[in-house]
Amino acid sequence: DKGNHRHFMEKEIYEQPEVVSHTLSHYIDFAEGRVKLDSSQIDFANLDRLAMSACGTAYYAGLIGKYWFERFARLPVEIDVASEFRYREIPLSGKMAALFISQSGETADTLASLRYCRDNGLTIGAVVNVRESTIARESNAVFPTLAGPEIGVASTKAFTCQLSVLAALAMIAGRARGTLSSEDEAAMVQALVELPRLSNEVFHAVQPQIEMLSRELSRFKDVLYLGRGTSFPLALEGALKLKEISYIHAEGYAAGELKHGPIALIDENMPVIVIAPHDRHFEKTVSNMQEVAARGGQIILITDEKGAAATTLETMATIVLPVVDEIVAPILYALPVQLIAYHTAVFMGTDVDQPRNLAKSVTVE
Ligand code: F6R
């Protein structure tokens, strides 16, 4: 049932404040202001590396998780798309655990990667949305995303719930490994508490602007997404979302890679969507924006109030979000990114919930 929404995708986008909050409460004791250590059966304190693998959007969630595990838990992460991971013959040791991320819990390559790790004796954790799935069944520890059934083929709420679980696990690992101070933990929990309310505010603030902007975007054949830090995987996710439902060619790049190739493509016909909260990467991303502007590229900037105040560059649109802690930024910034893809596709009249050639669950290689 789509309720008042035109598509399942729209319904699922707007469900995110609720399902993210539901998912977080499984891992975080909001009253105590701390993560629930006993919600993880992985012995993070005694690992020297974590292997992660997934496909598509779930892989991008994992990439963001890698930044968090490495920064907050000082735990090195080996991550690759499952179709490569399963054949790379990655050397695995007993001091590693493996984490697989999958909405459906049935993705063939992800399952094969899981079995490879299991056969090498690793403890297996799974971040899954379908609790009764094969991947859940074959794991030692299941970390559920409580997104509810996701019907739209393009993943939205499963993605932000995966990020929520990975944020909590990175904090749990940080505490277990003694690398996350209780003050930092409390500040991050507080930021996560406020996330659902902020998400609703963001929807209200940006929806009309994005709907208008999407009409303009629909005229283009190519779109480039740029970001640094955790905004880089989000740029990849933005490009994936746009291409799969609007069929506009889109690419995501680490902003610092711009001058290593993609800048050759920049002209007035290739708008550039820049995801740049005012974080420690902001200044560098602004220089990349200047390089784009100098070549006639049109910029759509997704930033926060500080970032908007700090740049005078002319943009096609500046989408302004509230200033948030870095642990919640990718979850909050996912919302405008999803809405851009959604409204562009709706405007172009594509089958948003059932894009051509795609299946919700990919159970063959
Ligand atoms: C993109 C999308 C896909 C899935 C991928 C993995 O919007 O939905 O890229 O993320 O097929 O699927 P799961 O998470 O079921 O393993």
Side-chain angles (χ1 to χ4, degrees), residues 55-58 101-104 107 153-155 162 240-241 244 362:
C55 299
T57 289
I101 308 159
S102 177
Q103 189 285 127
S104 63
T107 302
V153 164
S155 184
Q162 286 159 354
L240 174 62
K241 215 94 298 176
E244 69 180 332
V362 183

Side-chain angles (χ1 to χ4, degrees), residues 193-259:
V193 169
E194 287 166 18
L195 178 61
R197 176 181 57 81
L198 290 178
S199 303
N200 280 316
E201 283 175 22
V202 163
F203 283 139
H204 281 182
V206 307
Q207 194 277 336
Q209 181 189 17
I210 290 181
E211 198 166 349
M212 295 253 291
L213 170 69
S214 297
R215 290 172 182 243
E216 283 184 69
L217 270 184
S218 65
R219 293 186 289 113
F220 293 97
K221 289 203 161 52
D222 310 276
V223 177
L224 183 63
Y225 286 73
L226 297 178
R228 282 177 188 258
T230 54
S231 300
F232 161 47
L234 194 56
L236 298 173
E237 167 63 3
L240 174 62
K241 215 94 298 176
L242 186 69
K243 75 183 98 172
E244 69 180 332
I245 62 170
S246 76
Y247 315 140
I248 294 174
H249 166 238
E251 286 192 69
Y253 261 94
E257 278 287 293
L258 184 65
K259 53 169 76 63

Side-chain angles (χ1 to χ4, degrees), residues 191-346:
L192 291 164
V193 169
E194 287 166 18
L195 178 61
R197 176 181 57 81
L198 290 178
S199 303
N200 280 316
E201 283 175 22
V202 163
F203 283 139
H204 281 182
V206 307
Q207 194 277 336
Q209 181 189 17
I210 290 181
E211 198 166 349
M212 295 253 291
L213 170 69
S214 297
R215 290 172 182 243
E216 283 184 69
L217 270 184
S218 65
R219 293 186 289 113
F220 293 97
K221 289 203 161 52
D222 310 276
V223 177
L224 183 63
Y225 286 73
L226 297 178
R228 282 177 188 258
T230 54
S231 300
F232 161 47
L234 194 56
L236 298 173
E237 167 63 3
L240 174 62
K241 215 94 298 176
L242 186 69
K243 75 183 98 172
E244 69 180 332
I245 62 170
S246 76
Y247 315 140
I248 294 174
H249 166 238
E251 286 192 69
Y253 261 94
E257 278 287 293
L258 184 65
K259 53 169 76 63
H260 299 285
I263 199 164
L265 295 168
I266 303 288
D267 63 14
E268 62 285 352
N269 297 317
M270 177 132 164
V272 180
I273 301 184
V274 181
I275 305 168
H278 193 274
D279 56 16
R280 63 209 155 88
H281 308 289
F282 184 74
E283 295 304 326
K284 303 256 186 232
T285 310
V286 168
S287 338
N288 301 126
M289 274 174 25
Q290 278 157 347
E291 290 156 6
V292 170
R295 284 153 188 89
Q298 305 198 60
I299 295 162
I300 296 160
L301 173 61
I302 310 178
T303 186
D304 55 29
E305 286 142 5
K306 278 194 200 161
T311 160
T312 50
L313 266 184
E314 209 174 294
T315 61
M316 187 171 154
T318 301
I319 296 167
V320 184
L321 307 188
V323 173
V324 290
D325 190 281
E326 64 182 290
I327 196 88
V328 304
I331 307 177
L332 195 69
Y333 281 66
L335 309 179
V337 165
Q338 294 165 349
L339 284 175
I340 288 171
Y342 174 73
H343 285 294
T344 305
V346 169

Side-chain angles (χ1 to χ4, degrees), residues 11 71 128 137 143 154 166 183 193 209 314 343:
K11 171 173 176 267
R71 186 161 156 80
V128 289
R137 257 198 329 271
F143 303 109
L166 292 167
E183 297 79 58
V193 169
Q209 181 189 17
E314 209 174 294
H343 285 294

Side-chain angles (χ1 to χ4, degrees), residues 153-210:
V153 164
S155 184
T156 53
K157 63 176 180 172
F159 176 65
T160 48
C161 286
Q162 286 159 354
L163 291 178
S164 302
V165 173
L166 292 167
L169 288 180
M171 291 165 67
I172 287 170
R175 185 141 129 226
R177 296 167 68 80
T179 56
L180 182 67
S181 70
S182 44
E183 297 79 58
D184 286 350
E185 183 182 342
M188 288 154 99
V189 168
Q190 186 55 34
L192 291 164
V193 169
E194 287 166 18
L195 178 61
R197 176 181 57 81
L198 290 178
S199 303
N200 280 316
E201 283 175 22
V202 163
F203 283 139
H204 281 182
V206 307
Q207 194 277 336
Q209 181 189 17
I210 290 181

